[in-house]
């Protein structure tokens, strides 16, 4: 499995696909398939059988995973602008930073 620059909890923007422009938080990262689950993006409808959590059943709208190449980090200083991610060492710790503005992503 390769290391991804996107982690759970990051704010990302979808740059390609039918959910293009949607800004959301990463809910889950699947490193084996290079996919991420973004809140409010790539919504699909699934038929659900009645269960204890959903006694009614019916058609449920939920997020589906998106390939990691189709999302980009949101720059913490620029309003909802995509940015690339770099690494630098600050006080002996390796932290991620936004290449567009130079602002740190990890605090």
């Amino acid at each position: 499995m390769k290391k991804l620059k996107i982690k759970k909890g990051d704010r990302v923007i979808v740059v390609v696909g039918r959910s293009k422009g949607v800004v959301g938080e990463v809910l889950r990262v699947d490193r084996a398939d290079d996919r991420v689950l973004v809140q409010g993006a790539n919504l699909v409808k699934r038929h659900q059988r009645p269960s204890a959590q959903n006694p009614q059943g019916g058609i449920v709208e939920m997020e589906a995973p998106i390939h990691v190449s189709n999302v980009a980090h949101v720059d913490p200083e620029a309003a909802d602008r995509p940015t690339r991610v770099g690494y630098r060492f600050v006080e002996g710790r390796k932290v991620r930073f936004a290449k567009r503005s130079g602002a740190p992503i990890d605090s």
Side-chain angles (χ1 to χ4, degrees):
M1 284 188 269
K2 67 175 125 166
K3 183 168 175 13
L4 301 177
K5 294 185 177 183
I6 294 177
K7 297 179 181 178
K8 180 179 175 179
D10 288 346
R11 277 195 57 189
V12 294
I13 184 168
V14 180
V15 293
V16 177
R18 68 175 184 209
S19 295
K20 181 177 179 177
V22 173
V23 176
E25 183 180 332
V26 175
L27 302 174
R28 192 174 73 220
V29 176
D30 184 7
R31 288 181 26 208
D33 294 331
D34 293 338
R35 294 189 170 270
V36 292
L37 191 69
V38 180
Q39 181 180 11
N42 196 23
L43 294 173
V44 294
K45 293 187 177 185
R46 294 284 179 247
H47 294 264
Q48 294 252 319
R49 179 172 286 142
S51 64
Q53 290 87 9
N54 187 4
Q56 188 76 28
I59 300 172
V60 177
E61 201 167 33
M62 58 195 313
E63 295 98 354
I66 305 173
H67 197 269
V68 73
S69 66
N70 296 337
V71 298
H73 267 278
V74 172
D75 195 326
E77 290 188 0
D80 294 345
R81 301 271 315 268
T83 183
R84 293 189 178 191
V85 177
Y87 290 99
R88 66 170 67 123
F89 287 93
V90 177
E91 299 171 5
R93 288 187 332 133
K94 186 177 180 182
V95 295
R96 297 178 300 162
F97 73 97
K99 288 196 173 183
R100 182 182 293 272
S101 65
I105 294 173
D106 298 325
S107 344

